[in-house]
Amino acid sequence: MSATIWFTPWKPGPAGDFAPGGCADGAAVVSVTEFTPHRPWTAAGVTVAGVALRRVWQDVEGAVGLWLWMDPDLLRPRSGSISVWRAERDLQGFVARHDHVRIVRSYRNRGSLRSATWRTERFDMGATREAARSLLSGRSAWSA
């Protein structure tokens, strides 16, 4: 696993109106995804698709915010997202969105995907990003 992980700037969603360090009520659901393509050249298409979804992020119901991330390793690139949600139902609503389903279906057989989701009683941007970085770098184990 490469030690280099690049992050996009934080992109707030419509539920992203939070006090410094947390959501309005403090609680949030965090989802971390990682896509590893079978062939390196597939990474470019996945990245373009992720950026397209990021562009409409402000319209995604229940979205607190998002970072996209990328490991630029030439032979084994990986990419994904760290998304923060008001509630589990908001995350599930996004997963079922037509644009998201279309992308997932088009890349389903072109690589492997894993994800981790957890609930926090007090969302903290720095702690969330560090927990995600720990997963992505291999310092923490992905849940089974």
Side-chain angles (χ1 to χ4, degrees):
M1 238 176 257
S2 168
T4 303
I5 298 174
W6 296 339
F7 292 90
T8 62
W10 173 257
K11 173 90 175 204
D17 221 4
F18 56 88
C23 298
D25 72 353
V29 173
V30 178
S31 174
V32 179
T33 63
E34 175 193 70
F35 180 78
T36 305
H38 297 313
R39 293 179 175 76
W41 54 84
T42 303
V46 170
T47 299
V48 168
V51 168
L53 281 177
R54 185 178 190 274
R55 273 189 243 142
V56 298
W57 195 248
Q58 68 279 354
D59 301 327
V60 178
E61 178 69 28
V64 173
L66 167 80
W67 290 285
L68 296 181
W69 67 271
M70 181 179 133
D71 175 349
D73 185 286
L74 291 176
L75 297 177
R76 192 159 164 81
R78 303 174 299 137
S79 62
S81 66
I82 305 159
S83 58
V84 182
W85 303 91
R86 204 176 34 198
E88 179 77 25
R89 72 179 174 278
D90 298 315
L91 169 57
Q92 294 307 317
F94 173 72
V95 169
R97 275 176 58 122
H98 175 73
D99 50 358
H100 183 261
V101 169
R102 182 180 45 77
I103 292 166
V104 170
R105 284 183 179 156
S106 66
Y107 287 97
R108 172 185 353 231
N109 297 319
R110 298 182 192 184
S112 61
L113 177 71
R114 60 183 171 173
S115 65
T117 304
W118 66 88
R119 180 169 173 74
T120 180
E121 294 307 316
R122 185 175 181 288
F123 172 61
D124 177 286
M125 287 178 74
T128 298
R129 187 165 143 166
E130 184 50 39
R133 183 185 289 278
S134 185
L135 275 176
L136 301 171
S137 68
R139 293 190 319 256
S140 294
W142 291 78
S143 48

